[in-house]
Amino acid sequence: MTEIQNPILDVQGLEKHFGGITAIGGLDMRVGEGITGLIGPNGAGKTTFFNCVTGALTPDAGRVAFADGDITGKRPSAVAQEGLVRTFQIPRELPEMTVRENLQLAPRGQSGERLAQAWLRGDEFADDERRVREKAAEMAEFLEIDHVLDAKAGTLSGGQRKLLELARVLLTEPDMILLDEPLAGVNPTLEQKILDRIHDLESQGYSFLFIEHDIDVIMETCERVVVMHQGQVLTSGEPADVKSDDRVIEAYLGEEV
Amino acid sequence: MALADFFISLLTFVTIYSLFGLGLNVKFGFTGLIDFGHVAYFMIGAYVTVFVAMPAGLSETYEGLTGLGLATAFAGVPGGDLLGWLVALVIGMAAAALVSVLVGIPTIRLREDYLAITALGIATILNAIFHNERWLFNGAFGIREVHEPLSGAFPIGTGSFQLNLLLFGLPSVAILGYAAYRTAKVVRPLSVRPALLGTGATLALAGSVVFVITTMTGLVVDLGVFVLNVDNTIAFVLLVGSVVAGRAALTETDHIGALLALASALLFTLWYLGQPLVAFVTEGETADLLLNLFWLYDATAGSAGGLDYDRFFFLFTLAFLVGAYLWVERTVNSPYGRVLRAVREDESVPEALGKPTFRYKIQSLMFGSALAGAAGGLWAANIGFIDPTQFASTVTFFAYTAVIIGGTANNRGVILGTAVFWVINSGTRFLDDFFPSEYAQQLAALRLILIGALLIVILYYRPEGMLGEQDYDIDLGRGGVSDD
Amino acid sequence: MASAGLLDALLQGLITGMIIAAGALGLSLIYSIAEVPNFAHGDMITIGAYLALALNKPGAIPFVPEFGGLPLIAAGILGVAVAGSTGAIYEVAIFRRFRSKGADLITMVIVSLGLALVLRNVVLFLVGSGNINYDTERVTNTNVELYLTGNGLSVQTVQRQAGDLVTLGEWGYGWLSLLAIVALAAAVGIGVYRWRSDDASFETVHLVSPRIFGIASGITALAALATVLQGAPHTIDAAVWSTSVGVSIKYGVIIGLTLVTMLAMNLLLKGTKTGRAMRATADNMALAEIRGVNIDRVQLVVWVLAALLTALAGVLTGWFASNLNPNMGFSLLLPIFAAVIMGGITSPYGAVLASLIIGVSMDVGVFLLPAEFATYRTAIAFVILIGVLLVKPEGLWGDV
Ligand SMILES: Nc1ncnc2c1ncn2[C@@H]1O[C@H](COP(=O)(O)OP(=O)(O)OP(=O)(O)O)[C@@H](O)[C@H]1O
Ligand SMILES: [Mg+2]
């Protein structure tokens, strides 16, 4: 197991129980720069882990540090403002708003989002909004949802919703993005495009923690893989090492691999 | 009371309740908060405005807290009482907003249905406090010493009768004309056949009502015993005809809105101008006709006629409504408004994207409550007397009904819905004159049954209301690129 | 003469709680199974009360043929039954349609609000806003006065007859027998509880929970022992403490009826196929439907049951307070909601327990607070609710 020297995300002793079920049981995880894969069987607790880290759920025990600051128990908005955002595994589009508005909502630090600015409209207001519009349009084009920009988000197809979810998170321009199966249900050409974009963004200094069940995608994309099983980290390391780990094969990959 | 006076007072009510509804729309329509205690802020706005403006020792029957007398504080400056009252109103709005924060901080994180019931409970308790604690604002006895800004200055007018008529009468006719023009624009897409059928249906309906009314005056009708005679039969036939023609018109066109607009415009014209016109044609009587046409002009005010206080006060409230409308529009047509709507759709999304939704919800609550507070201050000045029974929970429910009829999350819809609501609820009150007075309560109940049923029917067949959710456009000023 | 005290307020509160419980039981069914936060619930109570009135005092309501009127018992039973069919109407005419359109919670709230408006005004339209009363025998209160003296407890029952206070009975207990009664009753209660929970393996579903069995047997034992061990009264002049508790046959009827109703509900929910279908639907409507539960039938049953329960609450309220008015239901709405939320929406048993707590706190609160706070009786229920919501938003007991 390789040790991460300068973790961006540092989780220690995390626990989360639902009634009698232990979804996360004393989990330690350190995630460094670059693209890290997070794999594990269904129900391993990956999504719950995301929820606890980003503040959507309050962990029962443990400590979460991000970029050297303690974010344990902070509200999701505060965590996002620190630069850590996540996608939802089941996309949450805002159905009665247009795709365009869904996208324009995302960028952080818009001056027009403050009540005083919305009323008084200083100089920044228009500039910010123009910037937001451009970015949203650019992102829509990249993810090939630009032809539905003016449709209500509630009318999108399942795959388009996934793309919208991803687009919104990318638009927040955070330091680290937690991706919860962003490729499930996305067509292969677009899948490659998204992976390329993720690499692009990585070279610009973004970090990713990436849940994905397709082991080949993980092998190609990630520098490091963490395997979760029954609410704990089973092992972590280079993709090739992890793939040949007996426990991983038994718990997740199955005999035939 | 001339129809014009009734019309003015109805319009004033609609204006004030529209302002109240705009506040509700901020909370409910744009942010998705079910505040069933909205009326509490209406009450607080009314009481605080009155209390701050009211000079001490005006009355011996008042045993509440001593008023701050702001209305007389600026007596030296011209229009000082208006200034004092405006300051009082701002304080009333601020008080409403402040109380809403105190209520909101513990409750706003709750599930939507829990929020609804707790808000309803808190409003009920606040009302009970205002009702029971005489030391506060005179309890159940209410406050009669309500300052009415500028009331001393009215009626105003020039010395000349002709000039007054020109000054106030002309705008009245112009406004009616403009309303007719707008209605015509709405009605235009209707093709000839359904338009004729709709007209026929409306006229038959009106005829049937007129028949019943004219033949029933002075006649004691006992509900439950419906006497069959010639008049009733004619009225019944007309009614059936109206329903048949109305159904036909509805099935023949897709422009149901246009059809409804046509019918309402016809009904309004018949009601407002029909009777005076008949009087004019048959008896050469012009007074009522002129009064109704030149509705802003009151011939009986002062020596040469002019603008009386009621009419002024309508314009005054209208100015507030327009101001509030623009203010809310500016708020929702901004990135801020975008976040509010995102909160309404799914709070977890803006939260995950880094927007502190708690703060947004509290601000929305404050803003909506402040608008309700402003409506309360105007309400008090309009009625001239307040007591806690005016602020029962039903007022909140009426506002919900109005907002939903007009179109949730649509500011114009709020005004339209409020107008429709109050026309149903008050505009039909003139029908009461034709029934024995002991049925007044029954008729009031009947109206509310109708409104409750209408609410359910609208939610089922047209949940987006008459106008549907409004469109949004963030104005970027000069050089602002269009969104597409 | 002893004056009314805490004990009296407690008993009053228990009655209030029982009435609230009848309403809360229905609301918790609607809330958890039909998923409607039903703001018309209060007005359904009013409708039930007035339906019984229409049969009991037909002359009071126009459109109802004058036939002399039924005795209150018959009118009550019939009225409750008719109210049940109104529940079916609400479901079939309104809520089923909205459910099939997938209406969200907010819509359901407002639909129920519209229904509330209609129901209340139907009453206003037909009967008017005045106070009215069932046509039935007057029930006189008996005051049970308790005196604690140096020798033990002495009991007097007093009734006001034609303006004069008449002592009906007088007896006492020595310290020793008092001690024996309490100890024996406690022993019986605990014993029964032990016995009932003995066989509790993980799978047994108790129709009546051992705890309730225990409490019920304890109370029964207490009453029996107190009757059997009556002794001579002590002189009450030297009483160190005295209190008076007003009781009447109404109390017994209300407690008895609500208890029987709850037991019946309990049997229905836990012992029948329909009950299991209802609980499955409450858990997860979509899943229940996949498993072959006829959702429409379940919802119909729920609305009918809720309407029956609200009507029962209405008749009892009207009879207990000797007063009906169109607002009677609405003023119960807040405490009922408070009880349901406090008990945890999905738990009818939690709702009943919370109803008792709320009823007792309302009446005891009014007793303990200075007189000028008496008008804030409902507010007390509410303050409790808000407190609970702030501390435990999921209700006191969660899923029982
Ligand atoms: N809100 C909840 N209430 C109760 N149990 C929950 C809740 N959320 C998750 N769980 C349970 O916690 C466990 C972990 O679930 P989680 O969604 O984190 O799994 P996952 O690793 O994301 O699985 P998948 O690959 O299928 O998405 C599961 O057993 C699940 O049933
Ligand atoms: Mg998952």
Side-chain angles (χ1 to χ4, degrees):
Chain A
M1 204 192 282
T2 48
E3 226 1 89
I4 299 291
Q5 290 313 318
N6 298 312
I8 307 180
L9 183 65
D10 188 351
V11 179
Q12 279 170 14
L14 195 70
E15 279 181 37
K16 184 70 196 177
H17 310 275
F18 296 108
I21 301 170
T22 299
I24 307 273
L27 174 145
D28 297 318
M29 195 190 298
R30 304 175 109 200
V31 183
E33 283 180 8
I35 306 174
T36 309
L38 180 59
I39 61 172
N42 295 123
K46 304 179 295 292
T47 300
T48 307
F49 172 72
F50 275 15
N51 282 336
C52 289
V53 166
T54 55
L57 291 173
T58 317
D60 297 328
R63 211 183 69 86
V64 183
F66 177 71
D68 296 330
D70 189 357
I71 56 166
T72 322
K74 281 196 179 175
R75 291 185 61 75
S77 53
V79 174
Q81 277 165 6
E82 302 267 334
L84 178 64
V85 297
R86 56 86 64 90
T87 64
F88 292 103
Q89 180 173 8
I90 299 162
R92 297 193 180 176
E93 74 288 349
L94 305 167
E96 291 297 318
M97 294 167 72
T98 61
V99 172
R100 190 190 299 280
E101 287 175 318
N102 266 271
L103 296 175
Q104 290 173 347
L105 174 75
R108 290 183 296 159
Q110 303 181 35
S111 66
E113 283 178 350
R114 291 195 304 270
L115 189 53
Q117 270 297 317
W119 286 349
L120 301 174
R121 314 225 156 162
D123 294 337
E124 299 159 76
F125 180 91
D127 294 344
D128 262 19
E129 179 62 13
R130 253 178 232 125
R131 182 177 57 86
V132 165
R133 286 180 187 183
E134 268 163 34
K135 276 193 200 166
E138 188 264 337
M139 185 61 70
E141 200 175 323
F142 171 72
L143 287 175
E144 301 175 6
I145 48 175
D146 47 337
H147 57 294
V148 288
L149 269 175
D150 290 308
K152 291 265 166 74
T155 63
L156 293 186
S157 75
Q160 287 172 327
R161 282 171 211 209
K162 285 274 344 168
L163 295 174
L164 177 61
E165 180 76 36
L166 180 64
R168 267 195 325 223
V169 165
L170 293 179
L171 279 168
T172 60
E173 302 184 345
D175 301 321
M176 180 173 227
I177 304 180
L178 308 182
L179 297 168
D180 201 341
E181 300 188 28
L183 301 177
V186 172
N187 72 62
T189 27
L190 198 51
E191 178 179 317
Q192 197 48 53
K193 240 179 119 180
I194 291 172
L195 288 173
D196 291 345
R197 176 74 160 218
I198 289 175
H199 278 299
D200 258 14
L201 290 169
E202 187 215 353
S203 56
Q204 289 170 32
Y206 288 71
S207 298
F208 294 88
L209 183 61
F210 184 8
I211 299 179
E212 175 56 51
H213 284 297
D214 185 339
I215 192 72
D216 295 331
V217 169
I218 292 286
M219 295 292 293
E220 280 168 29
T221 319
C222 305
E223 293 126 45
R224 214 171 146 268
V225 182
V226 180
V227 187
M228 274 184 72
H229 182 51
Q230 293 178 353
Q232 271 161 344
V233 173
L234 192 66
T235 181
S236 66
E238 303 264 329
D241 298 344
V242 166
K243 198 180 172 185
S244 53
D245 189 305
D246 288 345
R247 291 170 300 168
V248 178
I249 292 170
E250 189 183 329
Y252 184 51
L253 298 175
E255 305 293 342
E256 70 271 23
V257 180
Chain B
M1 194 166 73
L3 223 42
D5 292 305
F6 178 71
F7 184 53
I8 290 283
S9 92
L10 183 62
L11 280 180
T12 313
F13 271 94
V14 169
T15 315
I16 293 175
Y17 279 123
S18 293
L19 183 53
F20 182 64
L22 281 182
L24 185 67
N25 206 25
V26 169
K27 300 177 185 179
F28 173 64
F30 297 116
T31 323
L33 302 170
I34 317 188
D35 185 355
F36 272 180
H38 193 52
V39 72
Y41 310 111
F42 189 50
M43 177 174 78
I44 289 169
Y47 268 94
V48 171
T49 307
V50 168
F51 162 73
V52 172
M54 175 177 61
L58 260 186
S59 150
E60 288 175 2
T61 52
Y62 179 77
E63 292 178 11
L65 297 174
T66 313
L68 302 185
L70 228 59
T72 50
F74 302 97
V77 233
D81 85 311
L82 176 64
L83 186 63
W85 183 83
L86 284 176
V87 175
L89 186 76
V90 170
I91 296 177
M93 290 169 71
L98 188 72
V99 173
S100 76
V101 180
L102 297 181
V103 173
I105 284 176
T107 58
I108 209 152
R109 287 178 207 259
L110 299 175
R111 265 172 54 165
E112 49 204 0
D113 45 340
Y114 290 4
L115 174 65
I117 188 71
T118 29
L120 176 61
I122 290 170
T124 310
I125 293 174
L126 276 177
N127 192 283
I129 292 175
F130 276 49
H131 194 272
N132 296 325
E133 305 301 330
R134 191 155 187 200
W135 60 267
L136 187 63
F137 294 127
N138 214 24
F141 299 93
I143 308 181
R144 297 187 175 280
E145 295 71 38
V146 176
H147 180 70
E148 297 173 352
L150 293 181
S151 58
F154 284 87
I156 53 168
T158 64
S160 144
F161 183 84
Q162 280 84 358
L163 197 59
N164 282 340
L165 194 62
L166 208 66
L167 214 58
F168 304 116
L170 219 55
S172 317
V173 181
I175 292 171
L176 284 181
Y178 181 69
Y181 164 72
R182 289 304 297 255
T183 315
K185 263 181 77 171
V186 175
V187 173
R188 253 181 78 149
L190 213 55
S191 46
V192 179
R193 252 183 72 90
L196 285 179
L197 280 169
T199 311
T202 315
L203 291 178
L205 178 70
S208 144
V209 172
V210 167
F211 237 101
V212 172
I213 285 171
T214 47
T215 56
M216 217 152 60
T217 328
L219 203 129
V220 178
V221 275
D222 197 17
L223 293 174
V225 195
F226 194 71
V227 202
L228 193 73
N229 58 24
V230 181
D231 298 326
N232 285 339
T233 316
I234 294 179
F236 185 71
V237 168
L238 279 173
L239 192 66
V240 170
S242 160
V243 171
V244 170
R247 270 195 66 110
L250 278 172
T251 46
E252 276 194 25
T253 182
D254 297 329
H255 302 285
I256 294 174
L259 197 65
L260 286 178
L262 175 69
S264 334
L266 270 174
L267 279 178
F268 174 78
T269 317
L270 282 175
W271 170 71
Y272 194 65
L273 295 178
Q275 218 175 330
L277 217 54
V278 169
F280 172 64
V281 170
T282 56
E283 295 159 37
E285 179 71 59
T286 56
D288 269 5
L289 190 60
L290 289 181
L291 212 55
N292 286 1
L293 269 179
F294 304 133
W295 49 282
L296 277 176
Y297 171 72
D298 183 6
T300 58
S303 55
L307 185 71
D308 68 355
Y309 188 64
D310 287 346
R311 285 167 168 77
F312 160 76
F313 200 80
F314 160 62
L315 297 175
F316 188 62
T317 51
L318 191 63
F320 274 91
L321 178 62
V322 170
Y325 172 82
L326 296 175
W327 195 8
V328 176
E329 279 291 303
R330 197 175 173 86
T331 313
V332 296
N333 285 301
S334 74
Y336 182 86
R338 203 155 55 205
V339 180
L340 286 191
R341 282 184 291 135
V343 170
R344 176 192 72 189
E345 300 289 299
D346 183 347
E347 196 188 335
S348 65
V349 171
E351 184 70 36
L353 295 172
K355 329 286 177 196
T357 53
F358 180 71
R359 199 182 76 202
Y360 282 92
K361 290 201 284 184
I362 290 282
Q363 284 174 344
S364 161
L365 202 62
M366 286 175 76
F367 186 30
S369 302
L371 292 178
L378 287 167
W379 166 271
N382 183 44
I383 300 282
F385 163 67
I386 49 171
D387 74 17
T389 58
Q390 297 167 1
F391 306 101
S393 301
T394 37
V395 178
T396 307
F397 302 152
F398 290 172
Y400 272 92
T401 311
V403 167
I404 289 166
I405 290 177
T408 311
N410 187 322
N411 289 322
R412 287 176 201 208
V414 171
I415 299 171
L416 180 65
T418 311
V420 169
F421 180 93
W422 287 103
V423 164
I424 296 177
N425 202 34
S426 297
T428 52
R429 223 161 250 179
F430 75 99
L431 288 175
D432 289 12
D433 300 345
F434 303 98
F435 288 90
S437 61
E438 67 257 37
Y439 291 118
Q441 198 183 26
Q442 256 96 346
L443 290 168
L446 204 56
R447 278 187 203 102
L448 293 178
I449 293 175
L450 200 70
I451 285 166
L454 183 68
L455 182 61
I456 296 175
V457 167
I458 286 217
L459 277 174
Y460 186 72
Y461 289 102
R462 206 178 156 82
E464 72 276 22
M466 290 168 73
L467 298 188
E469 179 161 2
Q470 68 182 65
D471 295 324
Y472 303 91
D473 179 30
I474 302 174
D475 180 18
L476 295 185
R478 269 174 303 118
V481 280
S482 154
D483 229 359
D484 323 82
Chain C
M1 257 315 285
S3 55
L6 191 61
L7 220 53
D8 186 61
L10 262 171
L11 189 62
Q12 284 278 345
L14 199 66
I15 302 294
T16 311
M18 285 289 181
I19 291 175
I20 293 175
L25 207 51
L27 182 61
S28 90
L29 289 181
I30 293 185
Y31 219 140
S32 60
I33 301 174
E35 290 173 13
V36 176
N38 184 22
F39 278 77
H41 212 70
D43 298 292
M44 283 166 65
I45 290 180
T46 316
I47 290 283
Y50 276 81
L51 277 174
L53 182 78
L55 298 165
N56 173 246
K57 228 185 197 180
I61 302 176
F63 304 119
V64 178
E66 175 69 75
F67 58 82
L70 301 172
L72 185 56
I73 297 185
I77 293 172
L78 266 177
V80 169
V82 176
S85 64
T86 63
I89 295 175
Y90 307 148
E91 154 68 6
V92 173
I94 304 175
F95 292 100
R96 176 170 299 173
R97 291 161 183 266
F98 279 96
R99 196 170 56 246
S100 66
K101 278 183 63 175
D104 58 5
L105 201 66
I106 298 189
T107 308
M108 287 301 198
V109 166
I110 296 181
V111 168
S112 72
L113 194 69
L115 178 62
L117 212 57
V118 171
L119 294 184
R120 176 136 29 124
N121 284 288
V122 163
V123 173
L124 275 167
F125 179 75
L126 293 178
V127 199
S129 62
N131 292 319
I132 201 165
N133 205 334
Y134 287 126
D135 187 9
T136 181
E137 274 166 54
R138 257 185 60 96
V139 177
T140 23
N141 263 29
T142 307
N143 284 338
V144 179
E145 307 196 331
L146 304 174
Y147 297 89
L148 212 56
T149 68
N151 300 323
L153 184 72
S154 194
V155 182
Q156 265 187 8
T157 51
V158 181
Q159 201 172 54
R160 191 170 286 281
Q161 289 174 354
D164 301 318
L165 279 180
V166 181
T167 305
L168 300 178
E170 210 173 348
W171 66 91
Y173 307 95
W175 283 119
L176 214 62
S177 53
L178 211 56
L179 203 69
I181 290 172
V182 173
L184 271 173
V188 168
I190 293 170
V192 169
Y193 172 71
R194 287 264 168 82
W195 166 60
R196 290 299 303 181
S197 43
D198 228 16
D199 60 335
S201 68
F202 199 65
E203 296 96 67
T204 22
V205 177
H206 289 281
L207 273 185
V208 178
S209 90
R211 204 169 302 169
I212 293 176
F213 238 113
I215 293 172
S217 349
I219 291 175
T220 316
L222 191 74
L225 287 165
T227 320
V228 174
L229 293 181
Q230 282 180 6
H234 314 286
T235 48
I236 59 173
D237 301 335
V240 275
W241 174 83
S242 70
T243 191
S244 160
V245 181
V247 296
S248 83
I249 186 76
K250 282 184 179 179
Y251 289 47
V253 172
I254 289 174
I255 294 181
L257 262 181
T258 24
L259 281 182
V260 167
T261 311
M262 283 169 207
L263 215 63
M265 284 295 303
N266 191 32
L267 286 176
L268 179 85
L269 277 177
K270 288 187 175 169
T272 67
K273 199 159 163 267
T274 310
R276 278 191 294 278
M278 284 165 73
R279 291 196 296 161
T281 313
D283 261 1
N284 185 333
M285 206 189 297
L287 196 62
E289 190 156 24
I290 291 168
R291 286 203 192 136
V293 172
N294 183 345
I295 298 289
D296 280 350
R297 208 183 78 89
V298 167
Q299 304 288 12
L300 191 66
V301 172
V302 166
W303 278 96
V304 170
L305 280 178
L308 291 173
L309 288 165
T310 49
L312 176 71
V315 175
L316 291 181
T317 317
W319 180 53
F320 183 62
S322 300
N323 176 22
L324 288 87
N325 63 61
N327 248 335
M328 59 189 284
F330 185 71
S331 57
L332 276 174
L333 183 69
L334 288 182
I336 288 176
F337 255 104
V340 170
I341 294 176
M342 189 169 157
I345 288 175
T346 49
S347 157
Y349 312 100
V352 169
L353 205 55
S355 301
L356 296 183
I357 293 179
I358 282 175
V360 166
S361 5
M362 278 162 70
D363 284 318
V364 170
V366 166
F367 169 75
L368 292 178
L369 290 169
E372 62 264 29
F373 285 99
T375 40
Y376 297 118
R377 196 160 161 264
T378 314
I380 295 174
F382 225 69
V383 171
I384 297 176
L385 170 66
I386 292 173
V388 169
L389 279 180
L390 295 186
V391 183
K392 279 197 82 177
E394 69 278 14
L396 274 191
W397 290 277
D399 296 310
V400 178

